[in-house]
Structure formats: structure tokens, C-alpha cells
Amino acid sequence: MSVAEAIARVSAIQSQIAALAPAPPVTTTPAQSFGSVLDGQTSIEGSGQTTYGTGTSLGEPSQYDDLIKQAADEAGVPPALVKAVAKAESGFDPRSTSPVGAQGLMQLMPGTASGLGVTDPYDPLQSLRGGAKYLRQQLDRFGGDYSKAIAAYNAGPGAVQKYGGIPPYAETQAYVPRVMGYFQEFGGATGGTGRTSALGVESIDPGRMVSLAGGGSIGATVVQKGLQHLGTPYVWGGTKPSGFDCSGLTQYLYAQEGVQIPRVSQDQFRAGRSVPANQMQPGDLVFFQKNGDVHHVGIYMGGGKFLHSPHTGDVVKISSLSEPYYRAQFAGARRYA
């Protein structure tokens, strides 16, 4: 898909953020650690396989839903993800051919299709099987990171590896949040690592994520609008949609709702009301410290996930509080509305 096509599609199609059920309260005792609270929210022990949000409803039906589910189940990926890519790539047109030669529902290049065992890229089931298999490969390659896997589908895994995340290509920067929006629209869960370990896996449960269907709370709206900036590049000192640093993103999103918070993360940490880990709600800010100094901030989404702009060379994305780096440096949460 060319840059021109991507721009045309972005202007024609606005990514929809689907309704996800509110996060249920997590009960705990004072003796529980922050880590055990997170484990109760996000982990499934001993399953032996990586699990993702199922996305079984698939939103508005398409004539290929049965084939999508078949191909996705065979590859072990969410049907909602396969459908999201098919919509972004071809608009569900099995005869689609791009100016650069990508073919079929999943817009596979001939060489890629051949390597995936696809002999007829215009056959809907073959195309869906090939695309689903390729998504599975990228999820495995990038540790279950949805944004990286989707970026690799568009720009190639080499580019994602080179830049350590979504490459700074206009087409890919627009493509990733668009596919993520479709993924949510079709019943998939937002973000997550889905990493397999010897002890078990993390799963992404849509029922534990924030409700984004016109909820009345400021926090829910902050999360909803924040998702629109997925893929925005990190810019040190950035406070605008052209580029954010971590505290610039949080300040900007709250300002859109008429809530003024300090500019830098240390001051944001001092403001607002302290929130215990087991009582965090979508829209609360989560903070991280090293050697006693607060150095990073993100926006809690529910289910142990948060939205943030991490560092130079990265982009606005979703991460898990249970990742070792963030788990070890968690400093607390604050509420501003």
C-alpha cells in the first residue's frame, strides 16, 4: 500500500473506538503488594499458551467472518485482528491489487504470499490464512506487542527492529492506530504484551478495560482521546499532537477537558489525589521513579495497561504495568478529576 493510498484512506475513514466494558473493582488486603494486585488483574497461570482478547463478536458482520474466524483460529491470533487488517488493507475486496503489487483481502506481496504457502492470493481463505499466519509470526517475533506486529505487517519486521518500534514512516504512523481502532471496533482488546513464560501468560481481557462508549467521566474521555494519538512520535519537550514527551501528553489530554495539571511529571506527581493501586480507575495518571526521582508518567486504562509516550525513538503506545521495568519503578497513581 502506497503513502498516497494510506493518506486517502485516513481521510476517508476515521478509526472508531469500540465500547469495552468497565474495569471491575479489584479486591485486596493491606498486606498485598502492588505486584500481587497486578497479577490478579492481568495474569492467567499455567495455561501453557499465549492468549489474547478473543474478539469473537467481530462488530458489523462481513461476508468473510466465518473464513476470518477459521484462519485466525488456525494461526492462534484474535479474529478481530485479522478482520481489522483485512479492512485496513483491502476494505474486504478479495480482488484488490495495490499499485505496488500487493494482492487480495490481506494485500500480500507475491514473495511473502509464496513463503506463507499461498498459491492463489485472490482466494479469500488462502489470503486470510496467509495474513493470519504472518501476524502470528510478527506477534511471536515482537513478544506479543500488537503495535509492533501491526507495524511489521505494513513496513516489514526489519524496519520495526531497526527503529525499536513503529518506524517514522507517514504511512505506518497512520496505519497502526487505524488498525488498532478497527481491532477494538471488532471486539478485540487494546494493547498488551501477551508474552508467554514458563509460569504462564498474560491475557488481555476486554471486560477489564475502560468503557469508551461515550462515558461521562473525564478519565474515560481522556483515555478515549489519548488512543487517537497512538503512533505519535516522542519529542523531548513536546506538548502538541505533532510530538509528545510523557508529561506533555498527559497535560495536553487533560487540558482538552478543561483540567489544568502541571507541566512536568515530578510536579504532576505532587498534584492531584493519591490513589491506591487496587483502586485505580481509567484516566488516573501512573508514575515511575528511579533513585527516588519521578521520571515518567502514563495514563491508566484499566486491566493493568497504560498509555504513554516513553522515550526518544519511540511513539505513543500501550504498555503493561506488569512489565518488569515498570513494575519495579512504579511510584503510585494520582487522580485529577
Side-chain angles (χ1 to χ4, degrees):
M1 185 173 61
S2 68
V3 174
E5 287 180 302
I7 294 173
R9 288 185 185 180
V10 170
S11 62
I13 305 172
Q14 296 296 320
S15 297
Q16 303 281 327
I17 303 298
L20 300 175
V26 179
T27 57
T28 185
T29 65
Q32 279 185 297
S33 67
F34 171 66
S36 67
V37 171
L38 286 178
D39 289 339
Q41 290 182 330
T42 62
S43 66
I44 296 177
E45 297 298 335
S47 71
Q49 63 179 3
T50 303
T51 328
Y52 300 92
T54 56
T56 53
S57 67
L58 292 182
E60 183 178 348
S62 82
Q63 68 184 98
Y64 300 107
D65 281 359
D66 289 343
L67 297 182
I68 287 169
K69 290 179 181 178
Q70 179 181 339
D73 289 345
E74 290 173 359
V77 297
L81 180 60
V82 178
K83 185 171 182 177
V85 172
K87 180 174 181 177
E89 290 287 347
S90 68
F92 303 123
D93 178 2
R95 304 304 301 176
S96 177
T97 303
S98 79
V100 296
Q103 302 168 325
L105 278 174
M106 300 296 280
Q107 290 290 278
L108 301 172
M109 294 296 290
T112 302
S114 177
L116 294 167
V118 175
T119 58
D120 181 1
Y122 295 110
D123 176 80
L125 182 56
Q126 284 200 46
S127 181
L128 289 166
R129 279 174 165 165
K133 184 177 179 180
Y134 190 75
L135 285 167
R136 174 77 268 169
Q137 291 174 354
Q138 303 316 311
L139 284 167
D140 290 343
R141 178 168 185 162
F142 295 107
D145 188 309
Y146 278 69
S147 63
K148 289 181 181 178
I150 294 167
Y153 197 98
N154 177 261
V160 176
Q161 199 77 43
K162 175 181 178 181
Y163 291 101
I166 301 174
Y169 309 149
E171 177 182 339
T172 309
Q173 293 277 337
Y175 180 84
V176 173
R178 184 153 51 94
V179 173
M180 289 292 288
Y182 292 149
F183 181 42
Q184 294 162 0
E185 179 184 344
F186 299 146
T190 309
T193 61
R195 293 189 177 94
T196 304
S197 70
L199 297 177
V201 301
E202 290 179 290
S203 73
I204 315 305
D205 180 0
R208 296 177 185 268
M209 300 299 288
V210 57
S211 172
L212 302 178
S217 73
I218 289 177
T221 304
V222 166
V223 174
Q224 181 182 26
K225 292 186 176 180
L227 289 170
Q228 298 173 9
H229 297 282
L230 282 170
T232 298
Y234 177 95
V235 173
W236 188 83
T239 60
K240 299 178 180 179
S242 57
F244 293 108
D245 63 15
C246 65
S247 56
L249 174 66
T250 55
Q251 185 190 49
Y252 173 83
L253 290 172
Y254 265 99
Q256 303 310 297
E257 304 310 307
V259 178
Q260 301 301 318
I261 64 175
R263 168 65 184 91
V264 298
S265 57
Q266 293 94 330
D267 292 337
Q268 291 178 0
F269 183 69
R270 298 185 187 102
R273 303 188 305 278
S274 178
V275 180
N278 66 313
Q279 296 178 22
M280 292 189 300
Q281 297 177 4
D284 291 344
L285 298 192
V286 288
F287 294 87
F288 306 90
Q289 64 182 359
K290 188 173 183 180
N291 299 324
D293 294 325
V294 172
H295 65 89
H296 189 55
V297 60
I299 304 165
Y300 188 63
M301 300 177 62
K305 308 300 172 185
F306 67 102
L307 181 77
H308 64 141
S309 185
H311 52 73
T312 300
D314 212 331
V315 296
V316 174
K317 65 182 183 182
I318 298 165
S319 295
S320 171
L321 288 169
S322 62
E323 294 176 34
Y325 178 83
Y326 297 114
R327 187 183 186 120
Q329 298 191 26
F330 182 75
R334 295 290 187 274
R335 187 170 298 160
Y336 304 91

